[in-house]
Amino acid sequence: MSDALNLPAEARERAGKGASRALRRDGRVPAVIYGGKEEPTMIHVEAKELVRQLGTGHFMNSIVMIELGGKSVRTLPKDVAFHPVTDRPTHVDFLRLSKDAKVEVNVPVVFSNEEKSPGLKKGGVLNIVRHELDLICEADKIPSEIVIDVTGKDVGDSIHISEVTLPAGSESAITDRDYTIATLVAPSALKKAEGDTSTAAAADEVPASEQGGEEEEEATEE
């Protein structure tokens, strides 16, 4: 599980575009905490600290303890809005979490034991269809990543969600189908070589009478 992050915040007294622009000019990012059967709480956080935490790569599936007014609020980031030109964060939504809450998160996938895959050893390529898995997890057991073992996988094999052993407290949010996570495919160079071989084989299958037709016609004309 990803370590919990701590994010200091201050209460926001005014809403609206004008107030939000003023906060951003001061190096702050407006945000809101909602959920947990409580009224939404408007806050603002330091832009530099938010950017730093976004840079960890696991901000969106980490518990974020928001320090507000001497108290800690347990949350999960649900959405971050970015400026279309500068790509700086402009607003954040945090979901307030109870101790026994379950949340839907996207958890990144990593692959292990690639050296033990016959298909990869012969030059095959791992075609990743899903870089993240949509999971429902207990709030205090959100995994930082899901590791998938490719030992024994050969060219033409596929990896489906049903093959993946999920950690305790996690289950797939998609239950209506056994979706594909990755496939092992032949490299393009190998496919091209196979295509050239097929073309050559087709030429070899042309009857001798057809191959010599032009020579016979030239002899007749002479």
Side-chain angles (χ1 to χ4, degrees):
M1 174 182 170
S2 300
D3 294 332
L5 302 172
N6 293 297
L7 185 61
E10 295 180 17
R12 202 166 28 121
E13 296 182 358
R14 294 188 301 128
K17 293 182 178 180
S20 294
R21 281 195 294 266
L23 285 170
R24 295 183 189 110
R25 285 195 298 268
D26 291 337
R28 310 291 293 182
V29 178
V32 63
I33 305 172
Y34 66 93
K37 298 181 180 180
E38 296 183 33
E39 289 295 319
T41 302
M42 296 188 300
I43 61 172
H44 56 92
V45 301
E46 184 184 11
K48 288 183 179 180
E49 178 59 18
L50 177 61
V51 169
R52 186 190 70 80
Q53 294 194 14
L54 285 168
T56 63
H58 54 81
F59 180 77
M60 296 304 295
N61 63 323
S62 293
I63 300 296
V64 177
M65 302 299 295
I66 295 180
E67 309 293 337
L68 180 64
K71 297 181 180 180
S72 293
V73 183
R74 194 163 177 261
T75 73
L76 181 75
K78 293 302 292 182
D79 186 61
V80 182
F82 294 92
H83 191 280
V85 177
T86 64
D87 205 33
R88 305 291 287 181
T90 58
H91 192 276
V92 190
D93 290 347
F94 293 96
L95 175 65
R96 186 183 286 108
L97 298 177
S98 60
K99 186 176 181 181
D100 57 350
K102 287 190 174 183
V103 293
E104 185 171 345
V105 292
N106 291 318
V107 181
V109 174
V110 296
F111 297 88
S112 65
N113 293 323
E114 296 184 10
E115 72 282 358
K116 296 181 181 179
S117 163
L120 295 177
K121 288 175 70 174
K122 69 175 66 170
V125 176
L126 186 63
N127 176 41
I128 302 174
V129 180
R130 286 179 175 264
H131 291 270
E132 296 179 325
L133 301 185
D134 189 2
L135 304 180
I136 295 176
C137 307
E138 294 177 14
D140 59 347
K141 296 181 181 178
I142 301 174
S144 58
E145 61 187 21
I146 300 297
V147 180
I148 298 178
D149 191 341
V150 296
T151 297
K153 294 296 182 181
D154 208 340
V155 170
D157 289 345
S158 298
I159 301 170
H160 297 89
I161 184 61
S162 60
E163 302 174 52
V164 180
T165 301
L166 297 174
S170 298
E171 60 185 26
S172 176
I174 300 174
T175 58
D176 61 343
R177 62 189 184 278
D178 188 18
Y179 63 84
T180 301
I181 300 170
T183 58
L184 256 71
V185 298
S188 56
L190 180 58
K191 290 181 179 179
K192 182 178 180 180
E194 290 174 349
D196 291 345
T197 302
S198 300
T199 303
D204 290 340
E205 292 173 0
V206 176
S209 59
E210 293 183 16
Q211 292 180 358
E214 292 181 359
E215 295 179 1
E216 291 176 2
E217 290 177 4
E218 290 176 358
T220 303
E221 291 176 359
E222 292 176 356

